[in-house]
Amino acid sequence: MAAALHHRDPDASGQSTIDNVGLAHTRLALLGLGDCGVKPIFYAQHGDRFYFASEAKAILAAGYPAETDIEIFRHHLTNQWCHGRATPFAGIFKVLPGERLEIDLETLELEHIQWCRLSDWTDSDYAAELAALPYADLVRLVEHHFQRAVRRRLLADVPVATFCSDGVDSSLVTSFAAGEQENQQAFVIQPLDDPDSDESGYAQQVYDRAGAPLNRAPFDSATWRDAFLKSIPHFENPLWIEPSMGYSIVAETITAAGFKAALGGDAADELFGGYDYRYPEERRAFAAEIGRPALDIRTEMEIVPIEPDVTKAFRHPGTAPESEREFLESTEAESRQAYAHHDGARSALESHIMAEMRLHMAIAFDQQDKATMRSSLEYREPFLDTDLVRLVVNLPLEAKIFPEIKAILRDAARPHLPEPVLTRKKLGFTYNTDHLLEERIRPSFYTNTILEQILGVKSKKVAKWFESHYLFTTYAG
């Protein structure tokens, strides 16, 4: 098992045995799932043995039978993810966010204990106190809490780098980190043959203002495909989040520069109001309820044509496997309970945003963890600092989404970032993958494929999946 996780830091590892319990680890084989589910944990039971690990491949390496759960695998391919405990590996399960497992070492009987629920984050009294404050005071609170969050995640016995794209989130992380430690190093992806996706110019503005150097991770079609092929075994699932390969390439560059940890700006979108193309009806209803002009809500297909519709699964659970339906139903119930102290359109939209935060981050963090750990890099998320999350989920909703999504975060960032970074639409480690893949895709892979045989679908259906770019991890054949 330890050998299968060697990439999670080859510099340090260890083993320990106490009675009938054996532990093996590498330095970054992190088993602290946390209340937000940042780091994945997998487990399985076979005969008189119980296995748990940071990645499913470690359990398979220990001798667990490698079989595919066809229902879950099919759901992964058609919906790009399966929420809940089940994985495409039959008998291997995920620990849920805010959950711990207790195991009877004599009988191996397993108990699931939910130690943190979505409703634990909200507090009606705290929300009332925040609602009574002037907006300027709320901005200062966000600025203070986030600055402290960055400071906390810089704690290490080695220098910590930052991921820096062209957006407000990672740029603010980088700006605050540069203010906390000297010679702060930031890294940005630079696609050499796709200048429209090059974020490095805006990232350079952030670092010019902070007075620190910026490092670029350049790639072209050949180096991207090479990194892509090396990454496939690490992701363990169909890779639908396009920026995951960007993270993988930048992480390799950061590790080569001698860093073991890096901060990033993930979770800000989910935390500060969600995505403006999600729940358009609820957003319009809330705007009408408080007498504000409705936001210019764009359709999802205009913005992210290849992203899976997480909210579709949330609103139509009848098509999901049983394990996912249970998770979606519990998430819906918890998110409604979290904002039971509010009513009307406000409560409805708040609960939807919180539910989506859990659902979307479960997918993103799994692939983010795999992308960075491939290069033995620990990825840290300041936006998931406990105190910051408790503040933001209790803020007045209008402060987060009016006059635009993440309004209060942008205002907190205004003294620290160049205006062009504050106002432009970010790319966020994305780029055009068409020219990277199309010339290497074999049309024969569409027909008479193992996917057609396993899933029992016609080759035209398989081709449709490929043409929509949902399954670009399997393009390599």
Side-chain angles (χ1 to χ4, degrees), residues 154-192:
L154 287 171
L155 291 174
D157 55 3
V158 293
V160 179
T162 62
F163 284 74
C164 188
S165 69
D166 62 341
V168 172
D169 315 330
S170 64
S171 295
L172 189 57
V173 171
T174 293
S175 178
F176 281 170
E180 294 291 332
Q181 59 183 22
E182 295 182 1
N183 197 33
Q184 174 65 46
Q185 300 286 312
F187 292 78
V188 64
I189 196 168
Q190 185 177 26
L192 298 177

mmCIF file of all heavy atoms in Angstrom, residues 154-192:
data_model
loop_
_atom_site.group_PDB
_atom_site.id
_atom_site.type_symbol
_atom_site.label_atom_id
_atom_site.label_comp_id
_atom_site.label_asym_id
_atom_site.label_seq_id
_atom_site.Cartn_x
_atom_site.Cartn_y
_atom_site.Cartn_z
ATOM 1 N N LEU A 154 0.258 29.289 5.773
ATOM 2 C CA LEU A 154 1.673 29.450 5.458
ATOM 3 C C LEU A 154 2.563 28.807 6.512
ATOM 4 O O LEU A 154 3.787 28.702 6.322
ATOM 5 C CB LEU A 154 2.029 30.937 5.339
ATOM 6 C CG LEU A 154 1.520 31.661 4.091
ATOM 7 C CD1 LEU A 154 1.763 33.159 4.213
ATOM 8 C CD2 LEU A 154 2.180 31.117 2.826
ATOM 9 N N LEU A 155 1.968 28.376 7.622
ATOM 10 C CA LEU A 155 2.751 27.743 8.682
ATOM 11 C C LEU A 155 3.352 26.437 8.169
ATOM 12 O O LEU A 155 2.637 25.517 7.768
ATOM 13 C CB LEU A 155 1.879 27.470 9.906
ATOM 14 C CG LEU A 155 1.390 28.696 10.685
ATOM 15 C CD1 LEU A 155 0.430 28.278 11.784
ATOM 16 C CD2 LEU A 155 2.573 29.471 11.279
ATOM 17 N N ALA A 156 4.663 26.352 8.172
ATOM 18 C CA ALA A 156 5.360 25.162 7.685
ATOM 19 C C ALA A 156 6.835 25.289 8.029
ATOM 20 O O ALA A 156 7.323 26.386 8.316
ATOM 21 C CB ALA A 156 5.181 25.018 6.174
ATOM 22 N N ASP A 157 7.525 24.163 7.991
ATOM 23 C CA ASP A 157 8.964 24.200 8.229
ATOM 24 C C ASP A 157 9.754 24.336 6.929
ATOM 25 O O ASP A 157 10.975 24.241 6.921
ATOM 26 C CB ASP A 157 9.413 22.947 8.994
ATOM 27 C CG ASP A 157 9.008 21.653 8.298
ATOM 28 O OD1 ASP A 157 8.422 21.732 7.195
ATOM 29 O OD2 ASP A 157 9.273 20.566 8.849
ATOM 30 N N VAL A 158 9.029 24.553 5.828
ATOM 31 C CA VAL A 158 9.644 24.797 4.523
ATOM 32 C C VAL A 158 8.887 25.939 3.846
ATOM 33 O O VAL A 158 7.743 26.242 4.215
ATOM 34 C CB VAL A 158 9.585 23.540 3.629
ATOM 35 C CG1 VAL A 158 10.452 22.429 4.195
ATOM 36 C CG2 VAL A 158 8.149 23.071 3.455
ATOM 37 N N PRO A 159 9.480 26.617 2.860
ATOM 38 C CA PRO A 159 8.756 27.672 2.140
ATOM 39 C C PRO A 159 7.519 27.125 1.440
ATOM 40 O O PRO A 159 7.499 25.979 0.987
ATOM 41 C CB PRO A 159 9.788 28.178 1.126
ATOM 42 C CG PRO A 159 11.112 27.778 1.687
ATOM 43 C CD PRO A 159 10.880 26.488 2.408
ATOM 44 N N VAL A 160 6.490 27.946 1.370
ATOM 45 C CA VAL A 160 5.219 27.564 0.750
ATOM 46 C C VAL A 160 4.976 28.453 -0.460
ATOM 47 O O VAL A 160 5.033 29.682 -0.358
ATOM 48 C CB VAL A 160 4.056 27.695 1.750
ATOM 49 C CG1 VAL A 160 2.734 27.315 1.086
ATOM 50 C CG2 VAL A 160 4.300 26.810 2.973
ATOM 51 N N ALA A 161 4.693 27.858 -1.600
ATOM 52 C CA ALA A 161 4.428 28.605 -2.832
ATOM 53 C C ALA A 161 2.936 28.922 -2.950
ATOM 54 O O ALA A 161 2.131 28.524 -2.100
ATOM 55 C CB ALA A 161 4.903 27.803 -4.041
ATOM 56 N N THR A 162 2.558 29.636 -4.024
ATOM 57 C CA THR A 162 1.148 29.867 -4.319
ATOM 58 C C THR A 162 0.871 29.615 -5.792
ATOM 59 O O THR A 162 1.712 29.868 -6.646
ATOM 60 C CB THR A 162 0.704 31.309 -3.988
ATOM 61 O OG1 THR A 162 1.437 32.236 -4.786
ATOM 62 C CG2 THR A 162 0.913 31.629 -2.511
ATOM 63 N N PHE A 163 -0.327 29.078 -6.053
ATOM 64 C CA PHE A 163 -0.861 29.036 -7.410
ATOM 65 C C PHE A 163 -1.457 30.414 -7.689
ATOM 66 O O PHE A 163 -2.215 30.935 -6.870
ATOM 67 C CB PHE A 163 -1.966 27.989 -7.535
ATOM 68 C CG PHE A 163 -1.489 26.576 -7.599
ATOM 69 C CD1 PHE A 163 -1.015 25.933 -6.472
ATOM 70 C CD2 PHE A 163 -1.532 25.874 -8.797
ATOM 71 C CE1 PHE A 163 -0.587 24.617 -6.520
ATOM 72 C CE2 PHE A 163 -1.103 24.551 -8.862
ATOM 73 C CZ PHE A 163 -0.629 23.918 -7.722
ATOM 74 N N CYS A 164 -1.158 30.990 -8.831
ATOM 75 C CA CYS A 164 -1.701 32.310 -9.146
ATOM 76 C C CYS A 164 -2.233 32.321 -10.571
ATOM 77 O O CYS A 164 -1.459 32.228 -11.530
ATOM 78 C CB CYS A 164 -0.630 33.392 -8.977
ATOM 79 S SG CYS A 164 -1.243 35.088 -9.126
ATOM 80 N N SER A 165 -3.555 32.409 -10.730
ATOM 81 C CA SER A 165 -4.145 32.534 -12.060
ATOM 82 C C SER A 165 -4.454 34.005 -12.306
ATOM 83 O O SER A 165 -3.851 34.887 -11.709
ATOM 84 C CB SER A 165 -5.405 31.669 -12.156
ATOM 85 O OG SER A 165 -6.432 32.201 -11.350
ATOM 86 N N ASP A 166 -5.425 34.272 -13.162
ATOM 87 C CA ASP A 166 -5.757 35.654 -13.477
ATOM 88 C C ASP A 166 -6.974 36.133 -12.709
ATOM 89 O O ASP A 166 -7.478 37.221 -12.954
ATOM 90 C CB ASP A 166 -6.024 35.791 -14.975
ATOM 91 C CG ASP A 166 -7.221 34.938 -15.411
ATOM 92 O OD1 ASP A 166 -7.582 34.001 -14.672
ATOM 93 O OD2 ASP A 166 -7.792 35.208 -16.482
ATOM 94 N N GLY A 167 -7.491 35.321 -11.755
ATOM 95 C CA GLY A 167 -8.716 35.670 -11.053
ATOM 96 C C GLY A 167 -8.470 36.321 -9.707
ATOM 97 O O GLY A 167 -7.347 36.343 -9.186
ATOM 98 N N VAL A 168 -9.550 36.830 -9.123
ATOM 99 C CA VAL A 168 -9.464 37.506 -7.824
ATOM 100 C C VAL A 168 -9.003 36.545 -6.738
ATOM 101 O O VAL A 168 -8.182 36.897 -5.880
ATOM 102 C CB VAL A 168 -10.845 38.102 -7.449
ATOM 103 C CG1 VAL A 168 -10.828 38.636 -6.020
ATOM 104 C CG2 VAL A 168 -11.228 39.210 -8.413
ATOM 105 N N ASP A 169 -9.498 35.312 -6.758
ATOM 106 C CA ASP A 169 -9.317 34.392 -5.637
ATOM 107 C C ASP A 169 -7.850 34.049 -5.390
ATOM 108 O O ASP A 169 -7.304 34.316 -4.314
ATOM 109 C CB ASP A 169 -10.130 33.125 -5.882
ATOM 110 C CG ASP A 169 -11.538 33.424 -6.369
ATOM 111 O OD1 ASP A 169 -12.075 34.479 -5.996
ATOM 112 O OD2 ASP A 169 -12.092 32.610 -7.132
ATOM 113 N N SER A 170 -7.199 33.446 -6.374
ATOM 114 C CA SER A 170 -5.797 33.071 -6.183
ATOM 115 C C SER A 170 -4.895 34.297 -6.152
ATOM 116 O O SER A 170 -3.846 34.278 -5.502
ATOM 117 C CB SER A 170 -5.345 32.105 -7.287
ATOM 118 O OG SER A 170 -5.397 32.727 -8.547
ATOM 119 N N SER A 171 -5.291 35.366 -6.829
ATOM 120 C CA SER A 171 -4.496 36.592 -6.785
ATOM 121 C C SER A 171 -4.474 37.184 -5.384
ATOM 122 O O SER A 171 -3.442 37.678 -4.911
ATOM 123 C CB SER A 171 -5.044 37.627 -7.778
ATOM 124 O OG SER A 171 -4.905 37.187 -9.108
ATOM 125 N N LEU A 172 -5.621 37.132 -4.691
ATOM 126 C CA LEU A 172 -5.677 37.662 -3.333
ATOM 127 C C LEU A 172 -4.867 36.768 -2.389
ATOM 128 O O LEU A 172 -4.201 37.268 -1.472
ATOM 129 C CB LEU A 172 -7.127 37.756 -2.862
ATOM 130 C CG LEU A 172 -7.354 38.500 -1.534
ATOM 131 C CD1 LEU A 172 -6.796 39.911 -1.593
ATOM 132 C CD2 LEU A 172 -8.835 38.526 -1.174
ATOM 133 N N VAL A 173 -4.927 35.453 -2.596
ATOM 134 C CA VAL A 173 -4.086 34.552 -1.813
ATOM 135 C C VAL A 173 -2.617 34.931 -1.978
ATOM 136 O O VAL A 173 -1.862 35.053 -1.006
ATOM 137 C CB VAL A 173 -4.302 33.086 -2.248
ATOM 138 C CG1 VAL A 173 -3.269 32.168 -1.588
ATOM 139 C CG2 VAL A 173 -5.706 32.622 -1.900
ATOM 140 N N THR A 174 -2.217 35.133 -3.225
ATOM 141 C CA THR A 174 -0.831 35.470 -3.522
ATOM 142 C C THR A 174 -0.443 36.806 -2.905
ATOM 143 O O THR A 174 0.636 36.955 -2.324
ATOM 144 C CB THR A 174 -0.622 35.501 -5.045
ATOM 145 O OG1 THR A 174 -0.763 34.192 -5.566
ATOM 146 C CG2 THR A 174 0.744 36.033 -5.406
ATOM 147 N N SER A 175 -1.315 37.795 -3.016
ATOM 148 C CA SER A 175 -1.020 39.122 -2.468
ATOM 149 C C SER A 175 -0.844 39.068 -0.955
ATOM 150 O O SER A 175 0.116 39.637 -0.410
ATOM 151 C CB SER A 175 -2.146 40.085 -2.836
ATOM 152 O OG SER A 175 -1.909 41.373 -2.280
ATOM 153 N N PHE A 176 -1.738 38.388 -0.263
ATOM 154 C CA PHE A 176 -1.636 38.287 1.201
ATOM 155 C C PHE A 176 -0.414 37.453 1.611
ATOM 156 O O PHE A 176 0.254 37.765 2.597
ATOM 157 C CB PHE A 176 -2.900 37.684 1.781
ATOM 158 C CG PHE A 176 -4.041 38.660 1.896
ATOM 159 C CD1 PHE A 176 -5.317 38.227 2.206
ATOM 160 C CD2 PHE A 176 -3.849 40.019 1.707
ATOM 161 C CE1 PHE A 176 -6.377 39.123 2.328
ATOM 162 C CE2 PHE A 176 -4.886 40.925 1.817
ATOM 163 C CZ PHE A 176 -6.155 40.475 2.132
ATOM 164 N N ALA A 177 -0.128 36.389 0.868
ATOM 165 C CA ALA A 177 1.039 35.566 1.189
ATOM 166 C C ALA A 177 2.323 36.361 1.031
ATOM 167 O O ALA A 177 3.248 36.255 1.848
ATOM 168 C CB ALA A 177 1.068 34.332 0.298
ATOM 169 N N ALA A 178 2.391 37.199 -0.007
ATOM 170 C CA ALA A 178 3.577 38.029 -0.220
ATOM 171 C C ALA A 178 3.765 39.032 0.906
ATOM 172 O O ALA A 178 4.890 39.432 1.222
ATOM 173 C CB ALA A 178 3.470 38.754 -1.556
ATOM 174 N N GLY A 179 2.666 39.446 1.528
ATOM 175 C CA GLY A 179 2.755 40.363 2.653
ATOM 176 C C GLY A 179 3.166 39.692 3.951
ATOM 177 O O GLY A 179 3.554 40.362 4.915
ATOM 178 N N GLU A 180 3.066 38.352 3.989
ATOM 179 C CA GLU A 180 3.370 37.607 5.209
ATOM 180 C C GLU A 180 4.792 37.071 5.248
ATOM 181 O O GLU A 180 5.360 36.894 6.321
ATOM 182 C CB GLU A 180 2.390 36.437 5.366
ATOM 183 C CG GLU A 180 0.947 36.847 5.594
ATOM 184 C CD GLU A 180 0.738 37.495 6.957
ATOM 185 O OE1 GLU A 180 1.502 37.171 7.895
ATOM 186 O OE2 GLU A 180 -0.186 38.312 7.085
ATOM 187 N N GLN A 181 5.363 36.754 4.091
ATOM 188 C CA GLN A 181 6.724 36.209 4.076
ATOM 189 C C GLN A 181 7.512 36.762 2.904
ATOM 190 O O GLN A 181 6.960 37.054 1.843
ATOM 191 C CB GLN A 181 6.703 34.679 4.042
ATOM 192 C CG GLN A 181 5.996 34.058 2.854
ATOM 193 C CD GLN A 181 5.980 32.538 2.953
ATOM 194 O OE1 GLN A 181 6.108 31.943 4.015
ATOM 195 N NE2 GLN A 181 5.835 31.883 1.813
ATOM 196 N N GLU A 182 8.803 36.930 3.129
ATOM 197 C CA GLU A 182 9.678 37.507 2.112
ATOM 198 C C GLU A 182 9.897 36.528 0.964
ATOM 199 O O GLU A 182 9.864 35.315 1.133
ATOM 200 C CB GLU A 182 11.029 37.874 2.740
ATOM 201 C CG GLU A 182 10.950 38.974 3.795
ATOM 202 C CD GLU A 182 12.303 39.336 4.338
ATOM 203 O OE1 GLU A 182 13.309 38.739 3.888
ATOM 204 O OE2 GLU A 182 12.368 40.207 5.232
ATOM 205 N N ASN A 183 10.123 37.106 -0.205
ATOM 206 C CA ASN A 183 10.442 36.330 -1.407
ATOM 207 C C ASN A 183 9.401 35.258 -1.695
ATOM 208 O O ASN A 183 9.723 34.136 -2.075
ATOM 209 C CB ASN A 183 11.827 35.685 -1.282
ATOM 210 C CG ASN A 183 12.373 35.230 -2.622
ATOM 211 O OD1 ASN A 183 12.105 35.848 -3.656
ATOM 212 N ND2 ASN A 183 13.121 34.151 -2.610
ATOM 213 N N GLN A 184 8.135 35.607 -1.501
ATOM 214 C CA GLN A 184 7.048 34.685 -1.802
ATOM 215 C C GLN A 184 7.059 34.335 -3.286
ATOM 216 O O GLN A 184 7.111 35.215 -4.141
ATOM 217 C CB GLN A 184 5.704 35.306 -1.436
ATOM 218 C CG GLN A 184 4.493 34.489 -1.832
ATOM 219 C CD GLN A 184 4.430 33.162 -1.085
ATOM 220 O OE1 GLN A 184 4.627 33.130 0.117
ATOM 221 N NE2 GLN A 184 4.188 32.087 -1.812
ATOM 222 N N GLN A 185 6.992 33.063 -3.602
ATOM 223 C CA GLN A 185 7.040 32.596 -4.984
ATOM 224 C C GLN A 185 5.649 32.169 -5.448
ATOM 225 O O GLN A 185 4.981 31.383 -4.781
ATOM 226 C CB GLN A 185 8.007 31.420 -5.107
ATOM 227 C CG GLN A 185 9.436 31.731 -4.701
ATOM 228 C CD GLN A 185 10.156 32.576 -5.727
ATOM 229 O OE1 GLN A 185 10.117 32.277 -6.924
ATOM 230 N NE2 GLN A 185 10.822 33.617 -5.275
ATOM 231 N N ALA A 186 5.233 32.685 -6.591
ATOM 232 C CA ALA A 186 3.953 32.290 -7.186
ATOM 233 C C ALA A 186 4.201 31.630 -8.529
ATOM 234 O O ALA A 186 5.201 31.906 -9.208
ATOM 235 C CB ALA A 186 3.047 33.496 -7.357
ATOM 236 N N PHE A 187 3.265 30.766 -8.926
ATOM 237 C CA PHE A 187 3.417 30.006 -10.162
ATOM 238 C C PHE A 187 2.126 30.085 -10.965
ATOM 239 O O PHE A 187 1.026 29.969 -10.420
ATOM 240 C CB PHE A 187 3.750 28.547 -9.854
ATOM 241 C CG PHE A 187 5.111 28.353 -9.248
ATOM 242 C CD1 PHE A 187 5.323 28.630 -7.897
ATOM 243 C CD2 PHE A 187 6.175 27.918 -10.016
ATOM 244 C CE1 PHE A 187 6.577 28.462 -7.325
ATOM 245 C CE2 PHE A 187 7.436 27.749 -9.453
ATOM 246 C CZ PHE A 187 7.641 28.020 -8.104
ATOM 247 N N VAL A 188 2.269 30.285 -12.273
ATOM 248 C CA VAL A 188 1.121 30.412 -13.158
ATOM 249 C C VAL A 188 1.361 29.582 -14.404
ATOM 250 O O VAL A 188 2.508 29.415 -14.849
ATOM 251 C CB VAL A 188 0.872 31.891 -13.538
ATOM 252 C CG1 VAL A 188 2.043 32.454 -14.334
ATOM 253 C CG2 VAL A 188 -0.432 32.047 -14.313
ATOM 254 N N ILE A 189 0.301 29.027 -14.953
ATOM 255 C CA ILE A 189 0.411 28.235 -16.176
ATOM 256 C C ILE A 189 0.534 29.165 -17.381
ATOM 257 O O ILE A 189 -0.024 30.267 -17.416
ATOM 258 C CB ILE A 189 -0.805 27.307 -16.326
ATOM 259 C CG1 ILE A 189 -0.523 26.215 -17.348
ATOM 260 C CG2 ILE A 189 -2.071 28.086 -16.688
ATOM 261 C CD1 ILE A 189 -1.550 25.104 -17.331
ATOM 262 N N GLN A 190 1.292 28.714 -18.401
ATOM 263 C CA GLN A 190 1.483 29.527 -19.602
ATOM 264 C C GLN A 190 1.411 28.637 -20.838
ATOM 265 O O GLN A 190 2.396 28.028 -21.239
ATOM 266 C CB GLN A 190 2.835 30.256 -19.560
ATOM 267 C CG GLN A 190 3.023 31.215 -20.724
ATOM 268 C CD GLN A 190 4.329 31.977 -20.648
ATOM 269 O OE1 GLN A 190 5.304 31.503 -20.044
ATOM 270 N NE2 GLN A 190 4.378 33.158 -21.235
ATOM 271 N N PRO A 191 0.233 28.557 -21.479
ATOM 272 C CA PRO A 191 0.108 27.781 -22.718
ATOM 273 C C PRO A 191 0.782 28.512 -23.872
ATOM 274 O O PRO A 191 0.345 29.595 -24.285
ATOM 275 C CB PRO A 191 -1.405 27.672 -22.918
ATOM 276 C CG PRO A 191 -1.978 28.842 -22.167
ATOM 277 C CD PRO A 191 -1.047 29.137 -21.032
ATOM 278 N N LEU A 192 1.841 27.945 -24.406
ATOM 279 C CA LEU A 192 2.644 28.638 -25.410
ATOM 280 C C LEU A 192 1.930 28.745 -26.753
ATOM 281 O O LEU A 192 2.174 29.695 -27.505
ATOM 282 C CB LEU A 192 3.980 27.913 -25.576
ATOM 283 C CG LEU A 192 4.865 27.855 -24.322
ATOM 284 C CD1 LEU A 192 6.133 27.047 -24.609
ATOM 285 C CD2 LEU A 192 5.221 29.255 -23.847
#
